[in-house]
Amino acid sequence: MSALLIDGVQNAFVSRTSRLLASLAVLLGLAAVGLAIRRVGPLLERRFSADDTDAIQAVAFSLAAAAASAFLVIVWHAVDDVETSFETVKVGPTQGVLALVGVLTLIVAYTITRVSKGLLETRGGDVLTAHRREVIHHLIQLAVYLFAAVFVMSLAGVNPGDLLVGAGVIGLVVGLAARQTLGAVLAGFVLIFARPFEVGDWIVVEDREGVVTDVSLFNTRLRTYDDEHVLLPNDEVTATQVVNRSKSGRLRVSVEVGVDYDADVTRAAEVAEQAMRDCEVKPLLTQPEPVVVGKQFDDSAVILECRFWISNPSAPRKWQTQTAVIEAIKNAFDAEGIKIPFPQRELLGREEDGGLRLAGNGVDVATGDSGSSDTDGDSVSVDGERSSVESQRASTNGDEAEDPQTDGESADGQSASGSGSESESESGSEGR
């Protein structure tokens, strides 16, 4: 029956032009079927999950492509060539059954790994941490897939023992070609068994900071506090410095505050310590107790470092506690009248330049005298800034300012003298 159907189709498309038109029609029809399958996707997602929808669409398009391929083979009289090709690769009922068994083996292996992961997550309890569950899951995956691969190779007639003959050469070639990947795998084993950090820990790797979500054989996954997912190769993680802020279950946080030089520093430290003890925020620990230590003399204040501890460290808990502590210390200082100073600057006047003067009016800041140059050159502190150039300019202006009456008298005297000389000259000329 199939032979008659093939002959009928071949007789219907005898000429080359009809074959080309039929092939074009089949390709356009396949494209239309693919577009229709894609359009049906949203409807399928209402009843099935996204993964199931993709699988259904893939199977449907594969069947359509297989039907189109079969039609083209018949139209172009290539049935004998296809049969010859199948005979070359020895595809028969036995080979088909073996291939089906191999596919089912891989499906069963995948199912076993998924079921084992579900059992570990639901029945692990408190004994198995998230990191231990990941380690056991990856070991089960490795064992199951290794057994499945050996079994499939046996079905294909490949003796796994024969592979060991060329393992040295193959290992050398693969090692040179994929040394970075192999390095990442070895580093993955180091991270899994050495456990410098576990899933759920808050770590810092170079400039990356976040919570560990997965540790596989190839990479480590971080979720940052900006909700970014970062994939770090394991060889890079093991080759750099890693800071684990969750390992000990607690973290010390420091806040700095400046106290005025006129204030009692010891009293200020006591007030800050009491404010941290009275701060009612959950992550803040009472043991170890909060403590305040003097850190340094700053330009405008004595710097105190307020140290406290938080439990179950994470960035949000740190920010929450730090904000509450700053608010509590600020309120306590305001209640006690302890001043947190603004930045200040001290200006000094040189003695040889007559001290420090205000620009424009020639008033000595130290003595309050106007136009006086007999200043003692004492150092003074003023609000705002006055440059030494302006002070010198004011001093110069004060020295050059003279009495206007004196200037007038001098000018009149010179004028009178000149007039007398002119009169005498005129009288002499008339006598002569």
Side-chain angles (χ1 to χ4, degrees):
M1 184 65 182
S2 61
L4 295 175
L5 180 61
I6 293 174
D7 293 338
V9 173
Q10 290 177 347
N11 293 330
F13 301 96
V14 178
S15 64
R16 183 179 181 84
T17 303
S18 60
R19 293 176 185 177
L20 291 174
L21 293 176
S23 300
L24 181 60
V26 168
L27 293 178
L28 292 177
L30 182 61
V33 170
L35 183 60
I37 293 174
R38 185 175 180 180
R39 292 287 182 85
V40 177
L43 299 177
L44 295 175
E45 289 181 355
R46 298 177 182 177
R47 301 186 59 183
F48 306 98
S49 64
D51 295 337
D52 294 340
T53 300
D54 293 339
I56 293 173
Q57 289 177 318
V59 171
F61 186 76
S62 299
L63 293 177
S69 300
F71 184 78
L72 292 176
V73 168
I74 294 173
V75 168
W76 288 94
H77 304 282
V79 178
D80 295 336
D81 296 334
V82 173
E83 291 179 351
T84 303
S85 300
F86 277 113
E87 290 177 357
T88 302
V89 296
K90 297 180 180 180
V91 176
T94 304
Q95 287 77 16
V97 171
L98 293 177
L100 180 61
V101 172
V103 172
L104 292 176
T105 301
L106 296 178
I107 294 175
V108 170
Y110 176 77
T111 304
I112 291 174
T113 57
R114 299 298 299 178
V115 171
S116 64
K117 184 176 182 179
L119 292 175
L120 291 173
E121 291 180 352
T122 56
R123 299 186 179 183
D126 298 333
V127 178
L128 296 178
T129 62
H131 183 81
R132 293 174 181 175
R133 285 195 293 267
E134 288 291 333
V135 172
I136 296 175
H137 169 63
H138 290 310
L139 291 177
I140 292 175
Q141 274 187 322
L142 183 62
V144 171
Y145 285 139
L146 182 61
F147 175 80
V150 172
F151 183 73
V152 170
M153 286 190 295
S154 299
L155 292 177
V158 177
N159 186 4
D162 296 338
L163 298 177
L164 298 177
V165 177
V169 178
I170 294 175
L172 179 61
V173 173
V174 173
L176 293 176
R179 57 185 181 276
Q180 187 172 1
T181 303
L182 293 176
V185 172
L186 295 177
F189 279 107
V190 172
L191 293 178
I192 289 175
F193 291 103
R195 294 194 305 170
F197 50 81
E198 300 181 358
V199 175
D201 283 354
W202 174 21
I203 67 171
V204 180
V205 182
E206 291 187 341
D207 58 341
R208 295 292 185 178
E209 178 179 356
V211 177
V212 180
T213 59
D214 185 27
V215 182
S216 64
L217 293 177
F218 298 96
N219 49 62
T220 298
R221 297 179 184 178
L222 289 183
R223 180 175 57 83
T224 67
Y225 290 103
D226 294 331
D227 209 16
E228 298 174 339
H229 293 267
V230 183
L231 201 64
L232 300 175
N234 286 333
D235 55 341
E236 295 183 5
V237 176
T238 56
T240 188
Q241 181 180 9
V242 179
V243 179
N244 190 340
R245 295 180 173 173
S246 301
K247 190 70 173 179
S248 61
R250 66 183 186 183
L251 179 68
R252 196 189 76 179
V253 184
S254 299
V255 174
E256 294 183 1
V257 60
V259 178
D260 192 82
Y261 276 99
D262 294 334
D264 187 347
V265 177
T266 304
R267 176 57 182 166
E270 294 175 355
V271 171
E273 288 182 359
Q274 188 61 40
M276 288 189 291
R277 295 191 188 97
D278 297 338
C279 186
E280 296 180 356
V281 60
K282 187 175 181 180
L284 182 62
L285 293 175
T286 57
Q287 292 294 333
E289 293 184 351
V291 64
V292 178
V293 298
K295 186 173 183 181
Q296 64 179 0
F297 292 103
D298 203 3
D299 293 338
S300 305
V302 178
I303 303 301
L304 302 180
E305 184 177 3
C306 306
R307 301 174 179 176
F308 56 92
W309 296 81
I310 61 173
S311 60
N312 300 324
S314 67
R317 294 170 70 88
K318 175 187 175 183
W319 300 332
Q320 175 191 3
T321 311
Q322 185 172 305
T323 302
V325 167
I326 291 175
E327 182 178 359
I329 294 176
K330 176 64 168 59
N331 294 335
F333 278 12
D334 291 342
E336 293 290 332
I338 300 174
K339 182 179 178 181
I340 302 176
F342 292 103
Q344 302 174 14
R345 183 168 295 177
E346 186 177 71
L347 301 180
L348 303 178
R350 293 184 177 180
E351 183 177 359
E352 60 270 19
D353 291 335
L356 185 63
R357 297 169 177 269
L358 295 181
N361 56 8
V363 177
D364 192 295
V365 177
T367 63
D369 296 336
S370 176
S372 175
S373 60
D374 297 329
T375 57
D376 53 3
D378 293 337
S379 299
V380 295
S381 297
V382 296
D383 294 333
E385 297 183 359
R386 296 290 186 270
S387 64
S388 60
V389 176
E390 293 177 349
S391 300
Q392 295 175 3
R393 185 182 302 167
S395 177
T396 304
N397 292 336
D399 294 338
E400 291 180 353
E402 297 179 354
D403 189 357
Q405 295 180 355
T406 305
D407 295 340
E409 292 176 356
S410 175
D412 293 339
Q414 293 176 359
S415 178
S417 174
S419 299
S421 300
E422 291 177 358
S423 299
E424 293 177 357
S425 176
E426 291 176 356
S427 299
S429 62
E430 290 177 358
R432 286 192 297 267

